[in-house]
Amino acid sequence: MKRSLCLLQQLPAAGRYCSSANLLGFQPSKMARLPPTHLIESSVEHTEPVQINTRIIDRDTPFSHSSFTKLLDTSLPSRGFGISAFLFDQFGHLIDVENYNCIIRRYTDSGKHSYSVFVYTQMHRLDVRPDNSTFPSVLKSVAQLSYVGFGESVHSSAIKLGFGSDIYANTSLVYMYCVFRKCKDARMLFDQMPERNMVSWNSLISGYSHIGKFREAIDVFREMLGSNIQPGEVTMSSVLCACAHLGALDEGRFVHDYIVNNGLMLNVYVGTALIDMYAKCGDIDAGEKVFLAMSVKNVRTWNVLISGYAMNGRGEMALKSFNRMMMENFKPDGMTFLGVLCACCRKGFVEEGRWLFARMRNEFGLQPKIEHYGCMVDLLGRGGFLNEALETIQSMNMQPDAVIWRALLFACRFHGHVELGDFATQKLLELEPQNADNYVLLSNAYVHDKEWAKVGEIRNLMTNRGIRKVPGWSSIEIENAMHVFQASDSIGPGYENVHTMLAEVKEKLKFAGYEADTRMVLYDVEEEEKEHNLIYHSEKLALAFGLLKSSNKTLRIMKNLRICQDCHHFFKLVSAVYGRNIIVRDRYLFHHFAGGICSCKDYW
């Protein structure tokens, strides 16, 4: 044993072997996420696995793939790439490409992507020729690590080795280029593939979804249906995710109908994706029906249902589902408590929120994350318990982020607590000096107090720092087509009648008691100009278009920013006067307008 330990202690410096990772453009400077390299220092520090492995080296026992894998598993996590490179030098030639593939695949599947890439570099250094089974796993790891240059080198290597037309290599390359946001390259490669299977289509769809190109993902799904490839459960989960993010309910319903009509399995993954889609499209009742139809559920299924109730203003149902979940012996996790705390926050259930937050720690042993603290600060602040909200921030075992200070600032503005609001503002601008939302929130506070000089100072400060406010936009889906409007008094071709319709709606609402709420308009201008600015908010334009073009009783509108007070009041009156149900998904939650009432009870 002593001789074996001496052998390991005399290994060359790690850097000499790490240089092999330079192969194919894989530079050490780009390996920031790789584990640190350490040499074994003394027998006292050796764990039992290392002692067993040193006996293998010492006794010259017949070397097998399993023995090498044990050595590698021991050295890579704790000892770094130096010893691992030495192991490849000594024994790498004794294992074949199938064994290399097995090692790479196992590291990729277990999320140890740096190790997977490292083993691939050793294959090249030892002249072990990869085959078509090598590339799918290593390319997935390269994508997860965002090693763009190395990924392109692997692509080049696959072509040189004769795998340029291989369906498995190309499928993995398509996904990798999507993750790298090289969508044109991904699409070009996909179109040039001589053969495509369901996995190839899935790679493009999931790749687009992964980087937020949800409309493109749905378009590819439509293309897939026109081919001879039948989509499966994995395809459906990816497309439903895209529909959920877009709020494209009609597309989501089409996917649901396809699942039912083609006999696809409503497994736990597809079922959960359906619930999530319906919840994020504002139809939580349909999501509830899917939940009840599922024979198998997991904790994530319950979490999606609870969060869906919360974001749609069904706080009571979220809490009931939480209780039912525990009665059916599902153990809640951090996401479960985040969902119920959000539900309490949306409905102003302060006592219930306090009880759940304490129960999370004391009964279930879950340490709150910053998101849970954010919910509590928002809940307490909105409820008027500003000192308790500040105490909650001060009790955190982590640094509060901008979201928490923004929640406190919003509560201070709502309740008129100027001194604490100024303190929250200072913290907020220290953390995010370039975030336009912070300046807008502060500017709105000055507008509320009609301190127009300070409003001008904030706007000048934004200009001098090159900070631009995020433009407001809203979208509405009519007959499977998404129509997008920006906050402006100008409008594109094909929408000429929207202004006329909006003027008619405004006049009709005046008889129902509508008066423009100009308190939060940002400049000290004439009242007529303030009203002019308000009437052309993007959500009002989308609403007017929906009233013109849709005969459906329910109109669904998505907005990228928080809905303003005037638009909120405007939509309530429209729902009563025109007898339409209106669902607005803004940046924070859903507003369900019906009969002159909003589901948020004016608490948002």
Side-chain angles (χ1 to χ4, degrees):
M1 175 62 73
K2 288 183 179 179
R3 205 188 84 189
S4 301
L5 293 175
C6 289
L7 173 63
L8 289 172
Q9 289 170 343
Q10 294 170 5
L11 293 177
R16 191 178 307 171
Y17 289 101
C18 283
S19 64
S20 62
N22 293 345
L23 190 66
L24 301 178
F26 192 53
Q27 300 296 331
S29 61
K30 298 180 181 179
M31 298 170 62
R33 302 184 191 180
L34 302 184
T37 300
H38 297 292
L39 298 180
I40 298 176
E41 295 179 354
S42 68
S43 59
V44 178
E45 295 179 3
H46 295 164
T47 59
E48 185 61 26
V50 174
Q51 293 174 352
I52 294 172
N53 290 334
T54 55
R55 291 193 189 101
I56 295 174
I57 297 175
D58 188 38
R59 296 178 181 179
D60 296 324
T61 54
F63 203 78
S64 65
H65 162 243
S66 60
S67 300
F68 182 81
T69 304
K70 287 179 182 178
L71 276 169
L72 205 57
D73 282 343
T74 301
S75 66
L76 268 173
S78 60
R79 303 299 176 184
F81 287 90
I83 279 185
S84 301
F86 169 80
L87 294 174
F88 278 103
D89 267 355
Q90 299 299 311
F91 309 109
H93 63 284
L94 298 177
I95 59 176
D96 59 20
V97 65
E98 291 184 7
N99 291 329
Y100 273 105
N101 292 345
C102 180
I103 296 171
I104 291 172
R105 184 166 56 250
R106 190 174 65 174
Y107 282 139
T108 298
D109 291 345
S110 61
K112 297 178 179 178
H113 301 296
S114 301
Y115 304 160
S116 173
V117 171
F118 173 74
V119 173
Y120 174 78
T121 64
Q122 300 308 298
M123 288 180 67
H124 279 268
R125 189 166 65 87
L126 298 172
D127 294 326
V128 178
R129 179 187 174 93
D131 62 16
N132 63 338
S133 297
T134 309
F135 294 104
S137 293
V138 74
L139 286 169
K140 180 179 178 181
S141 289
V142 170
Q144 294 301 314
L145 294 168
S146 298
Y147 290 152
V148 179
F150 185 63
E152 292 171 342
S153 297
V154 175
H155 186 184
S156 176
S157 179
I159 293 173
K160 290 177 181 178
L161 292 170
F163 300 112
S165 299
D166 182 77
I167 187 172
Y168 303 107
N170 280 325
T171 294
S172 302
L173 284 165
V174 166
Y175 179 78
M176 181 192 76
Y177 280 119
C178 279
V179 174
F180 289 166
R181 295 186 175 274
K182 291 177 172 283
C183 298
K184 290 183 179 179
D185 293 339
R187 183 71 216 212
M188 185 183 301
L189 184 61
F190 180 83
D191 290 338
Q192 292 174 352
M193 289 175 64
E195 180 185 1
R196 295 190 287 250
N197 58 17
M198 183 174 66
V199 180
S200 306
W201 286 94
N202 289 348
S203 290
L204 190 59
I205 293 170
S206 61
Y208 277 136
S209 294
H210 181 83
I211 61 173
K213 289 188 173 293
F214 304 114
R215 174 53 58 187
E216 289 83 350
I218 294 174
D219 291 342
V220 172
F221 171 68
R222 290 282 188 174
E223 287 182 52
M224 184 180 183
L225 295 183
S227 69
N228 294 322
I229 304 297
Q230 183 177 7
E233 287 81 9
V234 174
T235 317
M236 296 307 174
S237 296
S238 295
V239 176
L240 287 168
C241 174
C243 294
H245 280 88
L246 287 174
L249 182 61
D250 290 343
E251 292 281 4
R253 284 172 174 163
F254 172 81
V255 175
H256 191 180
D257 290 341
Y258 186 93
I259 292 169
V260 173
N261 296 335
N262 289 273
L264 294 178
M265 186 185 302
L266 189 66
N267 59 25
V268 67
Y269 304 106
V270 175
T272 301
L274 273 169
I275 298 169
D276 189 50
M277 182 275 296
Y278 279 122
K280 289 178 178 175
C281 290
D283 193 354
I284 188 60
D285 291 332
E288 185 182 62
K289 290 178 182 177
V290 174
F291 180 86
L292 295 174
M294 292 173 63
S295 57
V296 179
K297 307 175 182 72
N298 58 18
V299 172
R300 185 171 184 275
T301 310
W302 284 97
N303 290 349
V304 167
L305 181 69
I306 291 169
S307 297
Y309 281 133
M311 72 176 68
N312 282 278
R314 305 272 190 91
E316 298 87 350
M317 290 302 299
L319 295 178
K320 286 181 181 179
S321 298
F322 174 75
N323 292 330
R324 196 165 83 242
M325 172 186 180
M326 289 190 297
M327 287 177 61
E328 296 187 18
N329 297 318
F330 286 90
K331 185 178 179 180
D333 59 14
M335 290 302 298
T336 315
F337 279 98
L338 185 60
V340 289
L341 287 174
C342 283
C344 292
C345 189
R346 299 287 181 244
K347 303 299 289 186
F349 297 157
V350 177
E351 286 301 321
E352 292 86 346
R354 288 176 176 143
W355 177 71
L356 286 164
F357 191 66
R359 195 176 179 190
M360 173 185 178
R361 292 181 291 186
N362 301 333
E363 183 176 341
F364 295 96
L366 295 170
Q367 289 300 315
K369 295 184 178 179
I370 200 159
E371 295 86 359
H372 301 101
Y373 282 110
C375 277
M376 286 305 298
V377 170
D378 196 17
L379 173 64
L380 294 168
R382 286 170 182 264
F385 301 93
L386 294 171
N387 290 332
E388 187 178 349
L390 181 60
E391 289 171 3
T392 300
I393 296 175
Q394 294 170 339
S395 70
M396 293 170 55
N397 57 0
M398 63 195 79
Q399 289 295 320
D401 64 1
V403 175
I404 287 178
W405 291 116
R406 196 175 294 117
L408 183 62
L409 176 58
F410 183 86
C412 290
R413 194 191 78 183
F414 184 81
H415 293 286
H417 199 306
V418 178
E419 185 177 351
L420 185 56
D422 288 342
F423 176 72
T425 298
Q426 179 184 346
K427 294 291 185 180
L428 191 57
L429 295 180
E430 287 175 1
L431 287 171
E432 290 185 346
Q434 295 300 120
N435 189 338
D437 290 347
N438 299 332
Y439 295 88
V440 172
L441 187 58
L442 182 59
S443 179
N444 286 345
Y446 290 137
V447 169
H448 185 270
D449 297 330
K450 296 186 177 180
E451 297 187 38
W452 302 111
K454 290 185 178 180
V455 172
E457 289 176 10
I458 293 295
R459 304 300 288 183
N460 290 335
L461 185 61
M462 291 179 67
T463 301
N464 294 335
R465 293 183 177 181
I467 300 170
R468 293 186 177 183
K469 181 180 179 293
V470 177
W473 59 261
S474 299
S475 65
I476 184 169
E477 187 181 21
I478 306 290
E479 296 179 354
N480 292 327
M482 199 69 72
H483 303 268
V484 181
F485 299 86
Q486 287 193 335
S488 171
D489 58 358
S490 61
I491 203 153
Y495 300 97
E496 293 83 0
N497 294 332
V498 170
H499 282 175
T500 303
M501 182 65 186
L502 195 52
E504 291 177 3
V505 172
K506 180 182 175 182
E507 289 302 314
K508 198 169 184 178
L509 294 188
K510 282 185 176 180
F511 290 102
Y514 170 71
E515 291 184 8
D517 187 349
T518 60
R519 289 174 297 173
M520 298 308 294
V521 178
L522 289 181
Y523 294 101
D524 188 15
V525 296
E526 293 298 327
E527 206 66 24
E528 292 80 4
E529 187 175 347
K530 289 182 180 180
E531 289 195 30
H532 176 84
N533 292 338
L534 284 172
I535 198 62
Y536 293 118
H537 279 190
S538 63
E539 56 266 51
K540 289 192 180 86
L541 294 172
L543 174 63
F545 184 77
L547 292 172
L548 270 174
K549 299 294 184 180
S550 176
S551 59
N552 291 336
K553 182 170 182 173
T554 300
L555 300 175
R556 288 180 167 82
I557 296 170
M558 283 188 62
K559 180 175 174 61
N560 67 324
L561 303 176
R562 180 179 179 270
I563 190 171
C564 76
Q565 292 173 338
D566 180 71
C567 287
H568 194 268
H569 181 52
F570 191 90
F571 276 51
K572 285 198 299 183
L573 290 176
V574 169
S575 70
V577 172
Y578 285 82
R580 297 284 194 107
N581 296 332
I582 308 166
I583 300 174
V584 177
R585 170 180 158 185
D586 76 1
R587 187 171 181 172
Y588 297 101
L589 74 157
F590 279 93
H591 298 265
H592 294 256
F593 299 95
I597 300 173
C598 180
S599 60
C600 75
K601 308 296 184 187
D602 298 337
Y603 189 88
W604 87 99

